[in-house]
Amino acid sequence: MLSVLLVVVFTGSRGAVIASLVVLSLYFIIYVKLNHLLLLYSLLGATVSLCVARFLDFHFLTEAILGLLAYVSWDSINHSDSIGLRQQLILNGFRSLKSTYGLGIGGGADLKMQQIYNNTYYGNHADNLILSMHNFWVELLVNGGAIFFLLFVVWYLMMIHKLHYISKHSYDNRLQYFASSSCLALIGFSLAAISASSVIYFFPMWLLFGFSIATINNYLRMEAK
């Protein structure tokens, strides 16, 4: 676990770091029992926190969260940093979604849409046009429309809920482990997916979905016996 966390820290991805910290926090709150392992995990978390503090400025972490959540007008976006660029990409997407009355512009059409707007140059460099949405959830909403997005979010939340239930009520230790790890992975992925340019073609995401569904189905089969 420590090696994975160190890799996340050294990537410098603020979204991935935030997601990792959330997953670690939920792990301690939900799954760690008060035993001798608690001290070990606490020391582990402290070590990782020191690494984050050393190599990343927490100001940029909070800036990333507040910058993406804050309302930004078309004229006040700062294209000189990655946050401003992401805001422009999202605003372009919302504008296109509105033009379709919430029905969506179609799968993969966001790339062409950003190309038409032609205003997502990183650092205002004319030779550096960014087309990917850089937000998995907004990408689903803009491409698939409001109805598809709502159905996907409900399915995603139900899967997290079922995995958490299995982790607490299953009598099979391996199934408990698979369910708890998949539950935390889905929660962390929902946050980390905002940082990547696009995760539609990210094979580990589909492996996570498939493994989570298989874990739920295995639990249902065991309960049916």
Side-chain angles (χ1 to χ4, degrees):
M1 183 176 68
L2 178 59
S3 60
V4 174
L5 292 174
L6 288 176
V7 169
V8 172
V9 169
F10 280 98
T11 61
S13 172
R14 291 171 290 192
V17 171
I18 293 172
S20 299
L21 294 177
V22 170
V23 169
L24 276 175
S25 301
L26 291 176
Y27 174 71
F28 278 103
I29 294 172
I30 300 175
Y31 294 112
V32 172
K33 298 179 181 179
L34 295 177
N35 53 32
H36 63 281
L37 292 177
L38 180 60
L39 178 60
L40 175 61
Y41 287 128
S42 299
L43 293 175
L44 197 63
T47 302
V48 173
S49 298
L50 288 175
C51 291
V52 174
R54 169 63 180 83
F55 292 101
L56 294 175
D57 189 343
F58 277 103
H59 168 71
F60 291 113
L61 296 180
T62 56
E63 183 185 55
I65 298 174
L66 296 177
L68 287 175
L69 293 179
Y71 170 78
V72 180
S73 66
W74 287 91
D75 298 326
S76 62
I77 292 178
N78 179 14
H79 292 84
S80 63
D81 59 13
S82 62
I83 295 178
L85 175 62
R86 292 170 186 270
Q87 290 169 336
Q88 184 68 68
L89 289 165
I90 292 172
L91 286 175
N92 290 346
F94 285 161
R95 188 178 184 182
S96 297
L97 179 66
K98 183 180 178 181
S99 68
T100 66
Y101 302 99
L103 296 178
I105 62 177
D110 57 303
L111 299 178
K112 183 63 177 179
M113 176 266 296
Q114 300 291 358
Q115 190 176 24
I116 293 174
Y117 279 113
N118 197 34
N119 59 1
T120 51
Y121 296 98
Y122 184 66
N124 290 322
H125 295 298
D127 58 343
N128 196 11
L129 179 63
I130 306 298
L131 300 178
S132 297
M133 188 66 72
H134 282 77
N135 189 311
F136 174 62
W137 302 104
V138 176
E139 184 178 357
L140 286 180
L141 175 60
V142 173
N143 288 348
I147 296 177
F148 171 79
F149 176 77
L150 179 61
L151 291 174
F152 185 88
V153 170
V154 170
W155 170 78
Y156 198 92
L157 293 176
M158 287 179 60
M159 190 158 53
I160 292 176
H161 172 72
K162 289 179 180 178
L163 289 169
H164 176 67
Y165 178 86
I166 295 171
S167 69
K168 294 295 186 180
H169 294 86
S170 176
Y171 295 103
D172 188 284
N173 291 332
R174 288 189 302 175
L175 203 58
Q176 282 185 343
Y177 174 77
F178 293 153
S180 60
S181 59
S182 299
C183 178
L184 291 175
L186 287 172
I187 295 174
F189 175 78
S190 66
L191 300 174
I194 297 175
S195 291
S197 59
S198 177
V199 294
I200 294 297
Y201 304 105
F202 186 56
F203 186 58
M205 178 189 74
W206 301 106
L207 288 178
L208 173 60
F209 289 172
F211 187 83
S212 300
I213 295 172
T215 300
I216 295 173
N217 289 336
N218 286 333
Y219 172 76
L220 294 176
R221 280 194 291 266
M222 292 177 62
E223 289 294 302
K225 292 182 179 179

